[in-house]
Amino acid sequence: MASTDQDISLSASETLAHARRVDAQRKTRARWILLSPALILIGLFGLMPLSITLVYSFLKPGSFGGVEWVFSLDAYIQFIAQRDIFDDTLSINWSYLSIFSRSIGLSLGATIGALILGFPTAYFIASKPADQRNFWLFLITLPFWTNLLIRTYAMLLIIRDQGVINTGLMSLGITEAPIEILYTDTAVFIGLIYSYLPFMVLPLYASLEKLDLRLIEAAYDLYASRFRVLTNVILPLAKPGIVAGCILVFIPGLGAYITPELLGGGKKLMIGNLIAIQFGSSRNWPFGSAAALILMAVVMVALLLYVRHSAKEGHSHG
Amino acid sequence: MPVTQNMNQLEPTVLAKSDADEVPAISVQGLVKTFGHGSNQITALDDVSIDIQQNEFFTLLGPSGCGKTTLLRLIAGFELPDSGTVLLHGEGIEHLPPHMRPVNTVFQSYALFPHISVADNIGFGLRMLGWNKAKIANVVEKMLDMVRLSDLANRQPDQLSGGQQQRVALARALAPAPRVLLLDEPLAALDLKLRKEMQIELKRLQDQTGITFVFVTHDQEEALTMSDRIAVMSAGRVLQVGQPKEIYDAPEHRFVADFIGDINVLPGQVKHRQNGKLVVVIAGGSEVHLPDDGIQSDSLFVAVRPEKATLAKSGTGVLSGVVNNIVFFGSGTNIHVSLSDGVDFVVQTQGSETGLSLGDGVSVNFADSAAKILRN
């Protein structure tokens, strides 16, 4: 009797295990079917162009654009060094490195500027009653209704010598001559902040909105002044939003094209413009590809360093 | 900041008993607080005056919306009064922001800082006061020991159970040795068994530290168990202040009688007043003799606690009626008697055997001293 019971329960458990296996297989298949459109899109328009770029960066430029299928490291060498025309010796070429460092500097500056402007804005929205927040968020997203190119032209009109700012300052007698903003780094800097500020405000808002106001009260109750409530409670808790906002401003800022092209006047290049020129007038596709990959590598290394740092920090907490 | 300097002393004994008899720890006078404007205006506190003595476990008791939490927030400094004063050990503090008041709060939701460890949470107030690290570590260790959480010092708050979080919140608020500890329904989120344990724990901590506790709750049993004195609040007013026994045995107000424990309330008419006595006619024409406390109105309410009344054979007691329900609750039984005028009167008896069944005619007896006059 006992043995039969065992047999039955054994076969029952086998049936159950089989049913579970079939069910798991079905779920896996469904998952892949649902994922496939996204995967095809990423493969076709993400990975393939990237692979082409990678291959091109190791080739020689064709005389009229395109590439010659000859392996070469020239594109990467060209980025940091120049070859003497007479004796083929290499010396460091600062022109591209300075464009690269200007890009990083401007993008970093714009990120910090956007954070300083965006944080109070996001906090203001998050502290509004829930039914009014959507209105303010709507205002933040309003610029997206107009193309960035057109908005950048509008900025050009505002900051140029005969623009609103300068005529205003001069008519008030604050300055005699127009302040030269357009076609300087300052113009690019202002343009970058303007273009990417919403990308800072939105993630900041998302993390500040979740902030428990009672924590602020608790800190205030425990002898923290307003400033120390900010530095000891609000900022640490808003850190995920700050990091997300900074990444969303810094990375597109680094590769910005329209803003430096129009407001920098083609004189103050950023790396995005350099890459564009290589595929256009300079007809050096391998060099353009190499510059793009170097930019990507720098961004990836920076992000990896951050992830490792925060993982370590999280570990020491736990 | 003379007020903020004294609180750095941790030794609870600094609050000398002689001092305690003179100046109240907290004295609020004529506090008025309204929220909103125009037709939406709500009066949260309507001319509230209370003195809370030093070293006292004082409870603000009332239903939700009665203003007890608003009063607590006014003492903490999260709200400013429309008018009235808040004195802490005789000094006016109503103009000070929360971080300048030597008063700490235990929040209903605990409000532990999720990004720092248990030890850092407890040391937060001391860090903000600018103590050096060694002294903070010392106090944090003492606090952890006091709330029995020494093993969990390095955990994050989200790794603790509700009861443990509650104890961290307590330790965090007690660490700076505040003059007064404010507790805003701190046990409401705990299950019954844990709540009972924490009630004892809280009482122990109060004895140990000698800090004045102002405790807000809507749970009358909790208030009776823990408090030295209770203020019963309703609709922004304080109805009665007294020791738990006074509040329970001699409620002055119908609301207080109803809110605290079970009570039978009978409408009555004053028949005549003589020699400081009132003769009141209650349901069914029975007369009770009550001390005249100067009540003006001739129609009043008389209250009798269920455990102060007894049942007798039909026709021999003060009131008569019919048994309409028998409810056993463990340590005793409640017998609901439907009186001749339709009012339900509950009598509490010991044990489970009553010898009664539904529909039996019975009499209800109680001594004159068990009956209390209520103001409406």
Side-chain angles (χ1 to χ4, degrees):
Chain A
M1 200 52 199
S3 72
T4 0
D5 265 3
Q6 208 171 22
D7 289 348
I8 291 168
S9 69
L10 237 172
S11 71
S13 78
E14 268 171 9
T15 321
L16 192 64
H18 178 71
R20 281 208 183 113
R21 218 159 31 233
V22 170
D23 191 44
Q25 279 168 2
R26 193 182 303 138
K27 273 183 185 153
T28 315
R29 208 179 311 137
R31 209 173 290 150
W32 282 108
I33 290 169
L34 286 171
L35 269 177
S36 54
L39 288 177
I40 290 168
L41 212 66
I42 291 171
L44 210 58
F45 299 111
L47 290 179
M48 260 181 57
L50 201 63
S51 313
I52 293 170
T53 312
L54 185 69
V55 171
Y56 275 20
S57 73
F58 289 107
L59 299 176
K60 279 188 178 241
S63 317
F64 305 101
V67 288
E68 259 180 58
W69 285 84
V70 179
F71 178 81
S72 163
L73 287 172
D74 277 359
Y76 290 95
I77 294 169
Q78 193 186 346
F79 196 81
I80 49 170
Q82 59 197 5
R83 202 180 289 273
D84 194 287
I85 326 171
F86 299 109
D87 57 6
D88 265 11
T89 52
L90 292 173
S91 56
I92 288 190
N93 177 359
W94 290 106
S95 57
Y96 299 127
L97 288 174
S98 74
I99 291 173
F100 201 73
S101 61
R102 177 189 299 117
S103 297
I104 291 178
L106 274 172
S107 188
L108 210 60
T111 306
I112 294 166
L115 181 61
I116 292 170
L117 291 177
F119 194 87
T121 314
Y123 195 87
F124 170 81
I125 300 172
S127 63
K128 286 275 152 197
D131 56 335
Q132 290 174 26
R133 289 178 199 159
N134 279 341
F135 169 73
W136 292 99
L137 287 176
F138 163 75
L139 290 185
I140 294 292
T141 56
L142 203 57
F144 295 128
W145 288 32
T146 315
N147 185 290
L148 178 61
L149 187 64
I150 292 165
R151 283 184 282 134
T152 308
Y153 270 118
M155 278 204 71
L156 195 145
L157 293 177
I158 293 168
I159 61 177
R160 66 179 175 168
D161 288 0
Q162 300 82 29
V164 179
I165 293 178
N166 275 318
T167 44
L169 286 176
M170 283 190 294
S171 66
L172 287 171
I174 296 171
T175 52
E176 301 252 312
I179 303 170
E180 198 184 319
I181 308 173
L182 193 59
Y183 307 141
T184 64
D185 277 353
T186 314
V188 179
F189 174 70
I190 295 172
L192 286 177
I193 292 183
Y194 167 73
S195 306
Y196 297 113
L197 188 57
F199 296 111
M200 179 63 86
V201 173
L202 294 177
L204 278 178
Y205 164 77
S207 67
L208 287 173
E209 186 228 352
K210 277 182 288 184
L211 189 70
D212 187 349
L213 292 179
R214 285 166 297 196
L215 294 178
I216 296 172
E217 278 190 351
Y220 206 22
D221 184 63
L222 288 162
Y223 314 113
S225 59
R226 282 171 182 279
F227 178 72
R228 300 189 80 178
V229 171
L230 179 71
T231 56
N232 282 277
V233 177
I234 300 174
L235 286 180
L237 290 174
K239 199 174 152 199
I242 293 172
V243 170
C246 286
I247 289 173
L248 284 181
V249 173
F250 180 71
I251 291 175
L254 202 54
Y257 172 71
I258 290 177
T259 310
E261 183 72 17
L262 293 182
L263 301 180
K267 286 189 284 183
K268 299 289 178 184
L269 288 186
M270 283 179 75
I271 190 119
N273 311 96
L274 179 70
I275 295 169
I277 288 170
Q278 300 313 314
F279 284 95
S281 54
S282 284
R283 295 203 181 122
N284 192 344
W285 291 20
F287 183 57
S289 302
L293 287 172
I294 290 169
L295 177 67
M296 202 178 86
V298 167
V299 169
M300 273 176 72
V301 167
L303 283 183
L304 278 176
L305 282 178
Y306 169 75
V307 168
R308 267 186 60 185
H309 167 77
S310 59
K312 214 181 282 170
E313 205 172 57
H315 187 73
S316 73
H317 272 310
Chain B
M1 306 192 293
V3 185
T4 27
Q5 272 159 11
N6 290 344
M7 70 193 157
N8 295 2
Q9 293 155 324
L10 191 76
E11 283 309 308
T13 45
V14 291
L15 299 173
K17 226 8 185 192
S18 62
D19 188 32
D21 297 335
E22 289 158 16
V23 195
I26 292 281
S27 172
V28 300
Q29 298 299 330
L31 277 189
V32 176
K33 178 69 187 174
T34 55
F35 293 105
H37 300 282
S39 59
N40 293 326
Q41 197 174 59
I42 297 160
T43 305
L45 290 179
D46 186 3
D47 191 19
V48 168
S49 301
I50 296 179
D51 281 345
I52 299 168
Q53 301 309 322
Q54 291 182 26
N55 303 358
E56 193 170 34
F57 197 117
F58 192 91
T59 298
L60 302 171
L61 174 66
S64 59
C66 72
K68 57 192 192 297
T69 295
T70 303
L71 178 55
L72 205 72
R73 292 174 61 82
L74 279 166
I75 298 172
F78 300 132
E79 311 280 354
L80 296 176
D82 295 348
S83 63
T85 56
V86 180
L87 302 178
L88 176 80
H89 287 235
E91 286 179 67
I93 56 165
E94 67 275 353
H95 57 282
L96 294 176
H99 71 286
M100 310 277 276
R101 301 189 185 196
V103 165
N104 291 139
T105 308
V106 177
F107 295 86
Q108 183 173 6
S109 57
Y110 317 143
L112 298 179
F113 304 121
H115 59 295
I116 52 178
S117 70
V118 164
D120 286 345
N121 260 283
I122 296 175
F124 188 92
L126 302 175
R127 276 206 304 287
M128 295 301 122
L129 287 170
W131 284 32
N132 71 45
K133 277 190 177 163
K135 269 174 85 182
I136 294 174
N138 191 18
V139 173
V140 168
E141 201 177 314
K142 268 190 208 165
M143 286 294 147
L144 280 166
D145 190 46
M146 193 167 77
V147 294
R148 304 184 184 118
L149 286 177
S150 300
D151 315 342
L152 306 179
N154 296 318
R155 294 273 186 93
Q156 297 294 112
D158 60 6
Q159 295 172 310
L160 303 183
S161 70
Q164 289 166 340
Q165 289 188 20
Q166 174 64 80
R167 298 217 292 274
V168 175
L170 262 171
R172 182 179 70 175
L174 283 170
R179 292 285 191 87
V180 175
L181 186 72
L182 308 173
L183 303 106
D184 185 8
E185 305 223 22
L187 310 181
L190 303 178
D191 62 52
L192 183 67
K193 192 163 176 294
L194 206 52
R195 193 154 68 225
K196 297 275 179 211
E197 282 173 28
M198 283 304 297
Q199 287 176 4
I200 296 165
E201 183 97 0
L202 270 180
K203 205 59 189 148
R204 178 179 70 85
L205 286 174
Q206 202 248 337
D207 286 343
Q208 220 172 54
T209 57
I211 291 172
T212 310
F213 278 33
V214 182
F215 185 84
V216 160
T217 184
H218 63 266
D219 181 334
Q220 43 102 5
E221 197 189 320
E222 199 165 275
L224 292 175
T225 319
M226 301 171 73
S227 319
D228 293 327
R229 281 195 307 150
I230 298 171
V232 183
M233 295 181 68
S234 170
R237 290 173 170 278
V238 174
L239 299 180
Q240 189 174 357
V241 180
Q243 291 170 5
K245 202 171 148 40
E246 288 169 8
I247 299 272
Y248 186 82
D249 285 342
E252 290 166 359
H253 209 278
R254 175 150 188 206
F255 178 87
V256 177
D258 267 342
F259 195 73
I260 307 213
D262 296 321
I263 201 156
N264 299 295
V265 179
L266 304 165
Q269 283 291 329
V270 177
K271 194 175 168 193
H272 52 258
R273 303 161 192 257
Q274 59 182 46
N275 306 334
K277 284 271 182 191
L278 285 180
V279 177
V280 180
V281 181
I282 52 173
S286 307
E287 286 181 4
V288 282
H289 299 257
L290 300 167
D292 189 351
D293 63 352
I295 191 164
Q296 296 294 317
S297 161
D298 273 352
S299 76
L300 44 72
F301 287 94
V302 174
V304 182
R305 294 276 178 206
E307 70 274 17
K308 298 270 170 74
T310 53
L311 288 176
K313 224 197 271 169
S314 189
T316 59
V318 184
L319 303 162
S320 59
V322 175
V323 175
N324 74 0
N325 204 357
I326 300 173
V327 181
F328 174 63
F329 60 86
S331 59
T333 309
N334 278 336
I335 296 147
H336 294 245
V337 179
S338 194
L339 301 180
S340 49
D341 60 354
V343 176
D344 208 31
F345 193 103
V346 182
V347 178
Q348 196 182 105
T349 63
Q350 301 286 311
S352 57
E353 281 307 313
T354 59
L356 292 167
S357 49
L358 298 186
D360 286 356
V362 288
S363 269
V364 176
N365 246 331
F366 53 85
D368 280 351
S369 62
K372 305 291 172 199
I373 297 172
L374 299 179
R375 277 152 221 281
N376 215 343

